[in-house]
């Protein structure tokens, strides 16, 4: 939305990498990517960190992991959708050759978006989409104590809590009633999962304000999911801290792929 | 709400049972119940099925299990709240002696409420509050196909689905945005948990219409929770059927304990 | 949903009436209805009350008014949709001749649904869809005191309140977050419009429980809308009473038109 | 939340103004303000624009109008709550002398917050809390076409739409399901009022992205409310444009009054 976070003029791509480590078999698609690279004069390299551009083939999970892996490298990631939702991907299989050819020719935009930094038991995690603390016992609610910028906000009985970047706002956050954060906002959304108290409403919190989440249950453990992957546990009385991170993810899209276009295609059809 | 489902004149209780098998240590409270029985001339019997009235000491979970156990026996259950929420209990620990004495003297109402019957892989379950089908893999959505009265309603990407009785409508159903079904309604509420499609809205379905839920995910299993307890699994392509059951649960309350009074005390303070 | 409320075998229609007093010019459609009647051997009569079946041509507003007018007469109403939403209509203009010919031949179902009775300042109103009390001053909230079955439920700051039949549950009630009441439920839904207190959740209330709504604002008037039409005013300290009514509306549909089919066509495309 | 937008060290106040033009009679309170000023050595001036600090006595409406009037002057506004909600006020009547004495002594914080600029038929408006476009006919929905940053987002059937600043996010926006924007966010929230399409979800939009709203109804007019006051009409096919404005409102609070403290006091008790 702002001039500093998007750019759409690029020189032709000389080196690219392909990533496809999802659950779905996309070997045929990877071959097609290699063929387009061949035709376009692009050299495929093994390490995404050393490429000019990385092509992620799979669902949103694959694209998220690739974005996370490449944080800080300046290498943008373009997604080819072989998953179910595909909010992050801008190329569909049917148009792989045509659209990827354009991308290799320099026709793409890059979008910088905020990430989250989480601290749990002395370990640090970075999330591109969201950090979730959720009861790890099926059918048992947890009690989560929470605070923002050091101010105690009480305890909520719930299934869990989602802290999401603008990129993640259209994913699990939206399913739980959270707001859509349009690209360009430097903030995170906090949304409870199945809160039993009726006052727990979604909040949007600016950069600089840290969220802390404490497991206030005596006997129910919580899992911490970073971009959908279980990354640790929030045992009773442990605390998880989350804030907007220093690094930014770097997603590549076709020039004509807009946030609202993707939103409408995904949610209103 | 209707004359047939509530009754508030009773003869004094002659035999009662005490149930207290929850996670909380309530031995002191059980002793106090026995002392009140002693003073009131009530004989405590071991088997709840043979008592005139059963006293459940604990949280809503304990009361639910006791209600379920006593379905079809005609024995009402009165709850003493040693849990967190206590929506079903009408006696608080501070007034145990006074209020239980009144109950043993015949001062209580009984409330008949609909139950749910669920069928899963040839096995039948009865629920007092709710039947939930929920992804059994943390962080993975499931696809649930659903139909009502034989009419296919499509597939919803979600964390799960809740089918709730009026009694259960103020529990997990409410946390997920479902409506409150006031006592006296012979219907069940169907509410999705974190649906990714925005059209999945809570429905209220009358007696006689069966809900079927099919796990349409290729590779994610679902757990089936009956009144909060894991009772089975909904493997991919298996189907769960739920309808209002023939039996009715029989909750006893103090004469002055009303649905709305409990609702306001629990949710608006 | 139950055998008593729906019937789908009818003898051929001998007399029909046409109603079309909406805002939209549907004279061409009325001519087409008359032509189908002519071909089918159906005599068009002037008074809907004396017809075997009444055809309402227009939007949902026209169908609602016709249903209300014919309460108690036993004359069913079939709708041809010339409006925007058309949830109640089962015939679309493109298939008018074909589908209306089938209806005149006896191929239709009739659906009996509960109505609401409202009392305001000694005057009685009957609603097919909903009764709404809403602030009559743009930009000013009102305070509504409410009670169900004589039990006081406090005061809510809001724009208004909707009391809806099952038929009306998919209309304004749904827009305000209320639940869908599937056909066959003998209950009404109560949903607040823009409540400022976060605990005001939709309730479903059984037959026999009366809702009273009091304008507790010192200086803001409220309008009372019956099926969308302003029917009176709720001045400060006046009270409106609403309950499920004795009469039932009688909607005719094509045999293949189901509640869920209409729901999916209307809301999920 | 950020160092640039809040400041809590001030020199003692030398000149102050009092504003109290609300619906409520607060003459007694105004006398008390004058008495505190007298004791504190503060000169009361007639024109708020020339004071160092302005005291607004009344409800949130009075404080909003005073904030709007003083935009661009650098004069902060402190509120004494004589209204119903009082989210913006930080002094309660019972502590007027003590707390206002502290404020006059320099003990207060000032909070800069974004405003909205609206354009309607060539006229410009500035809002401190929100701009609302709403059907001006009771009981009639409107069709609103909308676009963000020039991108068309379709047409929504609804009662209206709210565009809110962070300050306004806890007001009408919250009543309609919009998210809370915590102080420090430079964004606006867009929330529909009673949308009939289920996909209309709250959006948060960053500075620089303009919202345009078009009345797409053929025959229903819309009113435009700026901070709750009717400021114009959106006739069929007219367009309203809204974006974050250049000016910032300047609210003064007691040093100990925090956003979350006010939020909890107002909504969770």
């Amino acid at each position: 939305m702002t001039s500093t976070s998007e750019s759409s003029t690029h020189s032709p791509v000389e080196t690219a990498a392909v990533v496809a480590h999802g659950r779905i078999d996309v070997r045929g698609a990877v071959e097609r990517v290699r063929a387009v690279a061949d035709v376009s004069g692009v050299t495929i390299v093994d390490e995404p960190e050393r490429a000019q551009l990385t092509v992620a083939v799979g669902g949103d999970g694959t694209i998220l992991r690739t974005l996370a892996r490449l944080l800080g490298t300046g290498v943008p990631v373009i997604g080819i959708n072989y998953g179910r939702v595909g909010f992050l991907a801008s190329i569909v299989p049917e148009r792989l050759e045509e659209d990827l050819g354009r991308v290799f020719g320099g026709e793409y935009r890059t979008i910088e978006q905020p990430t989250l930094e989480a601290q749990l038991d002395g370990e640090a995690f970075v999330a591109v989409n969201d950090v979730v603390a959720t009861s790890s016992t099926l059918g048992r609610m947890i009690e989560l104590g929470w605070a923002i910028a050091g101010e105690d906000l009480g305890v909520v009985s719930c299934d869990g809590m989602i802290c999401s970047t603008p990129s993640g706002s259209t994913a699990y956050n939206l399913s739980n009633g959270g707001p859509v954060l349009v690209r360009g906002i430097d903030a995170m959304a906090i949304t409870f999962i199945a809160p039993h108290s009726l006052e727990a409403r979604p909040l949007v919190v600016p950069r600089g304000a840290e969220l802390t989440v404490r497991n206030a249950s005596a006997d129910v453990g919580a899992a911490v999911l970073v971009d959908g992957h279980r990354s640790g546990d929030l045992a009773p009385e442990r605390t998880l801290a989350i804030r907007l991170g220093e690094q930014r993810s770097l997603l590549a899209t076709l020039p004509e792929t807009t946030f609202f276009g993707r939103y409408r295609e995904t949610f209103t059809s």
Side-chain angles (χ1 to χ4, degrees), chain A residues 34 46 48 73 80 84 172 181 215 239 268:
Chain A
R34 289 181 181 277
D46 281 349
T73 64
I80 302 180
R84 205 178 42 76
Y172 198 46
L181 306 186
N215 183 350
T239 292
T268 70

Side-chain angles (χ1 to χ4, degrees), chain A residues 142-188:
Chain A
I142 45 173
E143 312 273 318
L144 291 181
W146 61 311
I148 295 179
E151 186 162 6
D152 178 31
L153 294 170
V155 172
V156 174
S157 295
C158 58
D159 278 3
M161 177 197 261
I162 304 158
C163 185
S164 140
T165 63
S167 170
S169 71
T170 52
Y172 198 46
N173 171 68
L174 190 68
S175 298
N176 285 277
V180 175
L181 306 186
V182 172
R183 278 178 192 158
I185 290 185
D186 201 28
M188 60 193 194

